[in-house]
């Protein structure tokens, strides 16, 4: 039976090696969906290994004092977790970012959207955070010795997982849990408020160009549904962000409300829609229910806890008897105080 024993020994060795490869956590490794994003694989006094939202095991030294990014969405997550002073490299800046964290004025430029690998190599941050769908960049950054964490923020669940991951890696779990608890509690409260709506308003969110809309896979589209409305564009079958429905399709939908994305690259305004004779028969235009998503200084349709305010703004416009202007203002003050420790006010935010 020696041959049989040898075969069993070899088989056990293969299984042991496979398990070792799965459970080890040096450089990033793929988990093949076996561990949920946010799972802490291992932790020591000096390092933490966590599954990011690209399904990769990423090892980061405790606790990263220098963080870089070229995915602008990440900035609001870091600011809300009191991590603004650790950002040393980023792409495009905003006045709002600098008002919350003045040190961001002096950040190194590491690219906007597309990472500048040479600039990152020179900066040598302790951590690079990027969108989970751009695995090529995540791996390129790790090849130059910088831990690269992939996050996904397209749905409320994904946003909360991103908060959890960043909080765990950066020693801000307590603040992350506080924000997650607030977000989930507010969503439950919103759900209770909208549950008894008998006639739901129809709406669309249009993008930077007329005819582009938020479909059911996008946060902006989901916000309409959370606010108690019906997203006319929910079922568009398109493999692109902000798919083009076209004006004819929007006319056929005849939405009661049109919300316009507060994009810096917008090619039209609310007045352009309201004053265009071609749009004059649309219910939203007839009743002047066309709105630019607030706020001027801090977009409430951006991924993050602040998207709650976008939902509540939509509720206020579609169902003012459910949430009044005064109640909305109280929510704004409450959330900014929770995130940044201070009220920012209607005049400053611009809503």
């Amino acid at each position: 039976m020696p041959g049989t024993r040898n075969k069993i020994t070899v088989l056990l060795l293969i299984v042991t090696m496979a398990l070792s490869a799965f459970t080890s956590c040096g450089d990033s490794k793929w988990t093949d969906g076996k561990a949920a994003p946010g799972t802490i694989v291992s932790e020591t006094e000096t390092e933490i290994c966590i599954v990011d939202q690209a399904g990769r095991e990423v090892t980061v030294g405790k606790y990263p004092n220098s963080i870089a990014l070229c995915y602008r969405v990440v900035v609001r997550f870091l600011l809300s977790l009191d991590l603004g002073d650790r950002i040393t490299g980023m792409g495009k800046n905003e006045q709002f970012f600098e008002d919350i964290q003045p040190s961001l004025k002096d950040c190194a430029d590491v690219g906007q959207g597309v990472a500048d690998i040479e600039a990152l190599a020179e900066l040598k941050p302790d951590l690079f955070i990027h969108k989970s769908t751009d695995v090529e960049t995540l791996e390129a950054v790790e090849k130059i010795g910088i831990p690269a964490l992939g996050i996904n923020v397209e749905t409320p669940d994904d946003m909360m997982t991103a908060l959890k991951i960043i909080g765990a890696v950066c020693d801000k779990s307590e603040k992350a849990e506080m924000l997650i608890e607030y977000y989930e509690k507010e969503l439950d409260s919103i759900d209770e408020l909208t549950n008894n709506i008998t006639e739901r308003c129809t709406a669309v969110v249009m993008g930077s160009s007329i005819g582009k809309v938020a479909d059911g896979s996008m946060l902006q589209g989901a916000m309409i549904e959370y606010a108690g409305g019906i997203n006319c564009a929910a079922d568009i079958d398109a493999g692109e962000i902000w798919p083009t429905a076209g004006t004819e399709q929007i006319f056929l939908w005849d939405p009661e409300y049109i919300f316009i994305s507060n994009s810096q690259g917008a090619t039209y305004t609310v007045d352009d829609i309201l004053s265009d004779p071609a749009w004059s028969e649309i219910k939203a235009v007839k009743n002047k229910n066309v709105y630019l998503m607030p706020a001027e200084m801090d977009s409430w349709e951006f991924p993050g806890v602040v998207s709650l305010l976008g939902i509540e703004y939509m509720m206020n416009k579609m169902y003012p008897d459910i949430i009044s202007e005064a109640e909305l203002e109280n929510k704004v003050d409450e959330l900014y105080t929770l995130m940044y420790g201070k009220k920012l006010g209607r005049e400053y935010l611009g809503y």
Side-chain angles (χ1 to χ4, degrees):
M1 303 288 289
T4 303
R5 281 199 299 270
N6 287 341
K7 287 178 182 178
I8 292 172
T9 301
V10 171
L11 180 60
L12 287 172
L13 180 61
I14 291 170
V15 171
T16 301
M17 290 173 65
L19 287 172
S20 174
F22 174 69
T23 57
S24 66
C25 195
D27 294 331
S28 293
K29 293 180 175 63
W30 295 95
T31 67
D32 295 327
K34 291 185 171 120
T39 300
I40 296 175
V41 179
S42 64
E43 189 170 6
T44 68
E45 290 183 1
T46 58
E47 291 183 335
I48 182 171
C49 178
I50 197 165
V51 179
D52 72 1
Q53 287 172 286
R56 301 156 57 251
E57 293 178 6
V58 181
T59 300
V60 183
K62 290 183 174 177
Y63 291 96
N65 289 315
S66 172
I67 303 173
L69 55 106
C70 62
Y71 181 35
R72 195 155 49 107
V73 166
V74 177
V75 181
R76 285 175 170 82
F77 281 75
L78 295 175
L79 291 176
S80 69
L81 290 172
D82 305 323
L83 292 166
D85 60 339
R86 300 196 204 178
I87 302 173
T88 56
M90 60 186 293
K92 188 175 181 181
N93 215 329
E94 293 181 21
Q95 186 62 51
F96 177 74
F97 297 161
E98 294 181 4
D99 289 345
I100 298 298
Q101 184 64 48
S103 64
L104 295 184
K105 295 176 184 177
D106 303 319
C107 273
D109 185 351
V110 294
Q112 175 59 36
V114 178
D116 184 331
I117 301 297
E118 288 185 10
L120 283 167
E122 184 176 346
L123 182 64
K124 295 179 182 175
D126 297 327
L127 176 64
F128 175 73
I129 306 178
H130 194 52
K131 55 188 174 184
S132 62
T133 53
D134 188 0
V135 174
E136 184 178 352
T137 294
L138 292 169
E139 293 183 343
V141 171
E142 290 207 327
K143 282 180 181 176
I144 60 173
I146 299 168
L149 199 65
I151 67 165
N152 177 20
V153 293
E154 290 303 318
T155 70
D157 284 344
D158 288 337
M159 289 189 293
M160 297 306 102
T161 299
L163 272 174
K164 176 184 174 182
I165 291 171
I166 297 171
V169 167
C170 299
D171 194 27
K172 291 290 182 180
S173 288
E174 188 175 338
K175 181 69 179 286
E177 287 304 320
M178 184 190 305
L179 293 174
I180 290 168
E181 183 180 348
Y182 179 85
Y183 192 92
E184 292 175 345
K185 183 180 176 182
E186 282 298 297
L187 277 188
D188 287 343
S189 176
I190 287 168
D191 189 50
E192 286 181 15
L193 289 172
T194 58
N195 257 344
N196 295 322
I197 296 173
T198 52
E199 293 186 17
R200 296 183 180 268
C201 299
T202 56
V204 293
V205 180
M206 288 208 303
S208 58
S209 301
I210 291 177
K212 285 186 173 293
V213 293
D215 63 14
S217 69
M218 294 177 61
L219 174 62
Q220 290 87 343
M223 286 167 64
I224 293 174
E225 305 283 345
Y226 277 110
I230 297 170
N231 178 18
C232 297
D235 296 328
I236 284 185
D237 185 13
E240 59 179 328
I241 297 175
W242 293 108
T244 301
T247 54
E248 288 186 11
Q249 179 59 66
I250 295 174
F251 293 168
L252 288 173
W253 285 330
D254 194 15
E256 296 167 276
Y257 289 83
I258 296 175
F259 297 100
I260 297 174
S261 175
N262 195 352
S263 168
Q264 293 179 347
T267 59
Y268 66 104
T269 66
V270 169
D271 286 341
D272 289 336
I273 298 296
L274 290 175
S275 62
D276 188 339
W279 288 73
S280 62
E281 294 304 308
I282 302 295
K283 291 188 184 81
V285 176
K286 278 182 180 179
N287 297 312
K288 294 186 168 42
N289 287 326
V290 181
Y291 304 99
L292 181 68
M293 286 297 292
E296 290 178 20
M297 290 300 290
D298 184 29
S299 176
W300 295 350
E301 59 176 300
F302 251 62
V305 181
V306 75
S307 62
L308 281 171
L309 299 180
I311 295 170
E312 288 161 346
Y313 174 82
M314 288 178 170
M315 285 174 62
N316 170 250
K317 295 306 176 189
M318 293 190 290
Y319 312 106
D321 56 324
I322 292 179
I323 179 169
S324 67
E325 284 282 342
E327 288 169 322
L328 175 62
E329 189 164 355
N330 286 337
K331 292 293 185 183
V332 173
D333 290 343
E334 183 177 83
L335 183 51
Y336 280 104
T337 300
L338 179 66
M339 289 194 294
Y340 307 126
K342 59 184 176 181
K343 296 178 184 179
L344 296 180
R346 183 183 286 266
E347 186 175 342
Y348 167 77
L349 287 168
Y351 71 94

